[in-house]
Amino acid sequence: MELSEIISFSKKNGFVFPSSEIYGGFSSCYDFGPLGVELKRNIKNYWWQKMFQRNNMAGLDSAILMNPAVWQASGHLTSGFADELVECKKCHHRFRKDHIKGECPDCKGKLTSPQQFNLMMKTFVGPVEDKTAQTFLRAETCQGIYLNFQNVLQSTRKKVPFGIAQIGKSFRNEITPKNFIFRTREFEQMEMQWFCHPKEAEKFFDFWLQQRLDWYKELGIKDLRTVEIPEKERAHYAKKQVDIEYKFPFGWKELEGIHYRGDWDLSNHAKHSKKDLRYHDQERKEKYFPHIIETSVGVERLFFTILCSSLKEVEGGRSEKSKKEKEIVLKINKKLAPFKAAVFPLVKNKDKVVKKAKEVFQLLNNFSVYYDETGSIGKRYRRADQVGVFWTITIDFDSLEDNTVTIRNRDTMEQKRVKIKDLKECFTKEFLLTD
Ligand code: GAP
């Protein structure tokens, strides 16, 4: 699907709305609607469970605002975290140098020579807006993990190798945010930092890269490739970097980064804070800075990837037999689907069928399910398919006699009869996040 179609689908169906729309919007800021918020939460929950499953992992939720010294130590306030900015002398639009070729794309004006532009978002803490009160919104969540490395070690008594996982907001003053929610100034990251002995770093790099690729395969995301980033283009902290790229409507772009950060973070924070952040390895009888393997993906970027890879246009007549125009089906992984099921009474003007359908809906209250009795059954199927509902459950006259319902599968369109008393168990088995 084209990017413009994905954007209008997202708005129409309550996935993503432009922020501050009634005031004309606000550049590159978006709000997540009723279905978007469900999808986002499902992505985060699934990632979290996957990270912890069979891995020695601890969780963290650190603050967005930190002592500005953190960003000095991490290298984010120096040229390591800056893009080259150029300005068109004619129309005065500003661009990232690596995002344009040759002349200014709007008006063919000449460009100024590049200037370094730091991406950290500044803010002030307290009532006085001077240099001493200045700090930054975090640009990556992982710095909070390094600062708490010793706290987590002490409170959990974990031993290296182990990981710390965190999900939270990050902010970057991107020069050219673009392509819908692909690159924004405010976004969420799901980051995992794996602390290991330096000699094991290579092994764990390969392990985590494979884990992440396996997860995307499980989610049904195809069109992925891995690209090893050459030294000149790597992030300032990375000794090795492999990007997992997806083929977006505007080309191959980074979805997730796997970084071997060595001891860059712990040794720099130790130096700047004058605290000993080394790990005392009782088994090896060594004291050292654990090396770090990082996996880092943006929630919104993955959200967008999932929409791109799941939205399918299919031949008409699939749900509404009489209609010939194309139908949209969101063939999203069932565990991520905003709604797992929809409950329909076959007819809406028969009290007993409606009453039974409402009872079934109540029974499934704890799952993400909605009730719909408006329009023909075909229209209701069509609406459900469009937003990725995995099961549609229909209550008909037979249900009144034998206490069964029909479950229709979104992808195969197969229908099966299931006893109402077994429904809860079916749901638990079908939609369990990890097993
Ligand atoms: N801690 C490492 C780190 O932040 P990164 O490659 O700068 O590495 C990791 O970012 C991931 O965060 C990217 O692969 C992308 O999914 C997401 N991301 C980064 N900048 C983003 C932006 N401006 N908008 C949306 N997502 C972004």
Side-chain angles (χ1 to χ4, degrees):
M1 257 193 198
E2 304 263 322
L3 180 60
S4 59
E5 291 172 301
I6 297 173
I7 296 173
S8 68
F9 167 89
S10 300
K11 184 167 181 219
K12 187 172 149 224
N13 291 289
F15 282 89
V16 184
F17 304 133
S19 163
S20 322
E21 198 181 7
I22 60 167
Y23 289 101
F26 194 59
S27 166
S28 97
C29 292
Y30 294 91
D31 299 336
F32 289 79
L35 293 203
V37 81
E38 295 296 331
L39 175 53
K40 237 182 166 188
R41 193 180 16 246
N42 292 346
I43 292 172
K44 290 190 272 186
N45 286 347
Y46 203 180
W47 179 89
W48 191 262
Q49 292 207 17
K50 214 59 206 174
M51 280 296 158
F52 278 72
Q53 190 186 29
R54 290 188 281 277
N55 295 316
N56 188 15
M57 196 67 67
L60 187 76
D61 185 6
S62 63
I64 289 174
L65 297 174
M66 287 182 262
N67 189 316
V70 172
W71 302 105
Q72 201 63 52
S74 70
H76 282 78
L77 293 182
T78 54
S79 60
F81 197 60
D83 283 334
E84 288 199 312
L85 173 115
V86 288
E87 190 175 317
C88 172
K89 291 181 183 168
K90 200 165 157 193
C91 68
H92 300 289
H93 282 170
R94 291 173 166 197
F95 305 92
R96 244 173 84 168
K97 184 167 172 270
D98 59 337
H99 281 181
I100 52 165
K101 291 189 196 97
E103 290 178 314
C104 168
D106 290 353
C107 66
K108 309 275 181 245
K110 291 264 177 272
L111 299 171
T112 59
S113 48
Q115 282 177 5
Q116 292 284 319
F117 179 78
N118 191 280
L119 302 184
M120 297 296 295
M121 282 252 195
K122 288 191 191 88
T123 189
F124 297 94
V125 175
V128 185
E129 292 193 4
D130 67 11
K131 199 87 184 152
T132 58
Q134 182 184 290
T135 189
F136 305 89
L137 304 183
R138 68 181 173 196
E140 54 174 9
T141 61
C142 57
Q143 292 302 325
I145 295 183
Y146 311 134
L147 304 188
N148 283 292
F149 169 65
Q150 291 292 346
N151 285 337
V152 173
L153 262 185
Q154 279 152 25
S155 57
T156 62
R157 284 172 277 118
K158 283 198 178 293
K159 290 195 168 67
V160 164
F162 76 100
I164 303 181
Q166 171 160 236
I167 302 176
K169 288 263 185 186
S170 291
F171 300 82
R172 293 182 192 177
N173 206 0
E174 299 280 0
I175 300 171
T176 43
K178 62 176 174 182
N179 292 330
F180 190 36
I181 52 172
F182 175 81
R183 179 175 288 105
T184 50
R185 295 192 172 110
E186 171 185 350
F187 54 98
E188 270 184 286
Q189 289 186 308
M190 303 191 286
E191 299 203 302
M192 190 285 305
Q193 312 296 309
W194 187 256
F195 298 86
C196 62
H197 189 273
K199 284 196 174 134
E200 294 195 311
E202 215 169 303
K203 175 182 88 181
F204 282 120
F205 188 95
D206 295 343
F207 171 81
W208 279 108
L209 174 60
Q210 195 54 49
Q211 289 285 302
R212 304 301 300 136
L213 289 169
D214 289 348
W215 191 55
Y216 291 130
K217 199 167 160 198
E218 205 178 310
L219 294 184
I221 301 174
K222 299 191 184 91
D223 292 329
L224 287 178
R225 69 178 188 190
T226 52
V227 180
E228 175 145 10
I229 307 299
E231 191 177 351
K232 252 175 59 193
E233 292 166 33
R234 266 182 237 150
H236 63 278
Y237 46 72
K239 280 164 114 64
K240 180 176 176 179
Q241 177 175 344
V242 171
D243 285 353
I244 300 176
E245 292 192 348
Y246 176 72
K247 198 173 180 193
F248 289 96
F250 37 84
W252 287 100
K253 297 272 177 221
E254 174 185 345
L255 163 64
E256 166 154 1
I258 314 295
H259 308 127
Y260 173 31
R261 299 180 69 126
D263 68 359
W264 167 269
D265 303 281
L266 288 181
S267 64
N268 272 313
H269 284 307
K271 196 165 94 196
H272 283 76
S273 66
K274 302 191 174 51
K275 298 280 179 328
D276 186 2
L277 299 181
R278 286 173 304 166
Y279 173 67
H280 194 181
D281 193 325
Q282 311 277 359
E283 278 159 40
R284 291 177 191 261
K285 308 209 176 342
E286 269 181 66
K287 231 177 167 189
Y288 57 88
F289 289 114
H291 279 203
I292 289 167
I293 309 299
E294 169 182 66
T295 72
S296 174
V297 59
V299 178
E300 293 82 358
R301 201 173 282 188
L302 177 53
F303 181 114
F304 183 36
T305 305
I306 288 163
L307 285 188
C308 292
S309 78
S310 322
L311 267 176
K312 308 280 177 208
E313 246 185 359
V314 297
E315 283 307 313
R318 183 183 186 270
S319 316
E320 286 179 83
K321 297 276 182 283
S322 56
K323 292 244 171 148
K324 285 285 169 283
E325 74 233 40
K326 291 219 174 340
E327 292 178 20
I328 289 177
V329 182
L330 183 67
K331 291 203 170 193
I332 190 170
N333 179 297
K334 62 187 174 190
K335 295 176 181 181
L336 297 181
F339 283 117
K340 305 296 177 232
V343 176
F344 304 154
L346 184 65
V347 281
K348 72 166 184 191
N349 48 1
K350 295 284 182 243
D351 285 357
K352 285 188 180 162
V353 176
V354 169
K355 186 166 171 267
K356 192 85 179 170
K358 286 188 174 164
E359 277 168 26
V360 172
F361 175 57
Q362 281 306 318
L363 180 80
L364 298 173
N365 224 347
N366 282 339
F367 301 94
S368 197
V369 174
Y370 71 88
Y371 174 84
D372 188 6
E373 60 175 34
T374 49
S376 69
I377 193 79
K379 266 206 185 92
R380 284 180 265 163
Y381 279 148
R382 191 179 167 123
R383 278 202 294 266
D385 288 347
Q386 186 157 314
V387 294
V389 174
F390 192 66
W391 277 347
T392 33
I393 300 175
T394 310
I395 289 82
D396 55 20
F397 293 105
D398 288 346
S399 311
L400 303 177
E401 303 297 319
D402 61 6
N403 277 311
T404 63
V405 295
T406 303
I407 296 186
R408 168 186 175 273
N409 179 302
R410 177 196 69 203
D411 297 337
T412 62
M413 293 204 292
E414 273 170 14
Q415 304 203 354
K416 60 177 180 185
R417 277 317 267 195
V418 174
K419 290 201 176 97
I420 293 175
K421 71 174 175 53
D422 296 337
L423 270 178
K424 270 188 163 176
E425 203 185 323
C426 290
F427 265 72
T428 310
K429 270 198 199 139
E430 193 76 26
F431 300 111
L432 198 70
L433 279 181
T434 51
D435 37 39

